[in-house]
Amino acid sequence: MPELPEVETVRRGLEPAMSAARIDDIEVRRPDLRFPFPMAFGARLRGRTVVGLGRRAKYLLADLDDGEVLVMHLGMSGSFRIEAEGDEATPGAFHHARSKATAHDHVVFHMSSGTRITYNDPRRFGFMSLIPRAELTEHALFRNLGVEPVGNTLDAAYLETAFRGKVTPLKAALLDQRIIAGLGNIYVCEALHRSGLSPTRPAGTLSSARPRKKPGPRAERLVVAIRDVIAEAIAAGGSSLRDYVHTDGSLGYFQHTFRVYDREGEPCRTPGCTGTVRRIVQSGRSTFYCPRCQR
DNA sequence: AGTAGAACCTGAGCGC
DNA sequence: TGCGCTCAGGTTCTAC
């Protein structure tokens, strides 16, 4: 469910409660999520202090004081919520609502900061793992990840090189985490729309077959669109963060305004375009785009 | 080598 | 009300 901007929003929301705080206690309520929890997961975390909270692609990385990293992935439906310790739900008449709200709470961290951090994940596509800091970049989860979509590592020349000769559709190439790490279905659709590029265009046609001195305009447009759409979504998440924390403590979901995603049959939002948003299926995933202004 | 499809799992929404 | 079907923002494995 969450893409990179949502994960970054979660990271920012968790940081004040989790970073520089000790895990006084942890409840692990089932043996596995997508994968089994590591051996003695709870015992290894109990008493540890989180020295920093980072992110790589869609992975949350909690650095621990013993040199290990608690790696957390939200899968499709994972979320965290933060509550003050001892702030229990109203009993009695509201019992039903309470039990509904806490279904699928799989892991609960009791932090020395006085907060309770609960991981909830109905579909259980998420997971948690413990990896020594020194082994992280060579670990199977991380060694094949491509560049982050924001920051200066992603540029038009990189994208042209990575896509050169590829026949696979642009949509699929952008979802390939080995090239750009962190883009998901929504923001790929949005970035392609902003750059006026068709999701079905072969990735290799982003530029000429032979390397040129300067990257082509399509690659430039796409890189700018990717950076913009991700940066705007992170900003939107940040601005919604305060509201969420103050209401029910849940993190990770916020209101988006998409230009194409989930807007099948609705008018294209490109200024001056009279097209209609269309939905197609590419490698089993929905793609939303405007056939009129995306070429 | 690259790609489509299935798999993992639960819930929401919709037509009947 | 309920049943059956489709779909969901991720990742990884298998089969062509």
Side-chain angles (χ1 to χ4, degrees):
Chain A
M1 182 98 118
E3 295 189 31
L4 186 150
E6 288 79 6
V7 177
E8 176 60 23
T9 299
V10 170
R11 191 197 69 75
R12 293 179 187 187
L14 285 179
E15 196 163 39
M18 197 169 225
S19 197
R22 189 180 59 248
I23 301 170
D24 284 340
D25 197 10
I26 176 170
E27 301 167 53
V28 184
R29 296 178 173 170
R30 49 175 302 128
D32 54 33
L33 294 171
R34 178 175 183 187
F35 308 122
F37 284 100
M39 279 293 232
F41 182 66
R44 286 158 72 185
L45 285 172
R46 210 163 283 125
R48 296 269 67 75
T49 293
V50 177
V51 296
L53 191 59
R55 177 191 60 74
R56 171 75 171 108
K58 299 165 195 165
Y59 298 87
L60 286 168
L61 307 172
D63 270 295
L64 306 173
D65 59 5
D66 65 349
E68 289 204 296
V69 180
L70 169 61
V71 177
M72 299 176 281
H73 195 289
L74 302 172
M76 290 276 266
S77 58
S79 65
F80 284 95
R81 63 173 201 278
I82 302 175
E83 295 152 303
E85 201 74 78
D87 180 14
E88 304 304 332
T90 310
F94 299 103
H95 183 265
H96 179 64
R98 158 92 177 147
S99 56
K100 224 177 140 185
T102 59
H104 309 297
D105 284 353
H106 304 310
V107 181
V108 184
F109 299 88
H110 299 271
M111 306 301 295
S112 62
S113 56
T115 55
R116 183 174 63 233
I117 299 171
T118 304
Y119 178 71
N120 182 286
D121 188 355
R123 290 176 76 178
R124 304 200 304 274
F125 286 174
F127 64 90
M128 295 190 189
S129 189
L130 277 168
I131 301 173
R133 182 80 224 183
E135 297 171 19
L136 200 68
T137 54
E138 289 311 309
H139 191 275
L141 289 171
F142 298 97
R143 69 172 165 237
N144 291 322
L145 287 181
V147 300
E148 291 280 321
V150 284
N152 43 22
T153 39
L154 174 65
D155 59 31
Y158 171 82
L159 212 53
E160 276 199 7
T161 304
F163 286 179
R164 182 163 295 127
K166 278 193 183 298
V167 181
T168 194
L170 207 40
K171 164 80 182 304
L174 289 172
L175 282 174
D176 188 342
Q177 303 295 300
R178 295 170 300 182
I179 300 172
I180 302 174
L183 290 185
N185 204 37
I186 291 179
Y187 295 109
V188 165
C189 291
E190 294 296 309
L192 285 170
H193 180 255
R194 285 181 184 224
S195 55
L197 294 168
S198 168
T200 62
R201 164 191 285 277
T205 66
L206 204 60
S207 58
S208 60
R210 292 194 337 194
R212 290 178 298 191
K213 289 179 193 143
K214 295 179 78 174
R218 293 193 193 99
E220 290 282 6
R221 261 157 45 208
L222 183 53
V223 162
V224 168
I226 290 168
R227 274 204 293 255
D228 285 356
V229 80
I230 297 294
E232 283 173 29
I234 290 174
S239 62
S240 73
L241 198 53
R242 184 184 30 195
D243 301 333
Y244 268 100
V245 172
H246 280 293
T247 53
D248 67 351
S250 63
L251 297 169
Y253 299 86
F254 48 89
Q255 285 301 314
H256 308 266
T257 45
F258 301 129
R259 298 193 192 174
V260 282
Y261 185 82
D262 205 21
R263 295 190 61 244
E264 183 182 16
E266 295 178 49
C268 177
R269 285 183 171 153
T270 298
C273 181
T274 56
T276 301
V277 175
R278 195 150 102 83
R279 174 184 178 270
I280 60 173
V281 175
Q282 292 178 290
S283 47
R285 320 282 310 271
S286 285
T287 299
F288 298 89
Y289 76 111
C290 172
R292 190 172 184 100
C293 67
Q294 290 180 252
R295 298 298 190 172

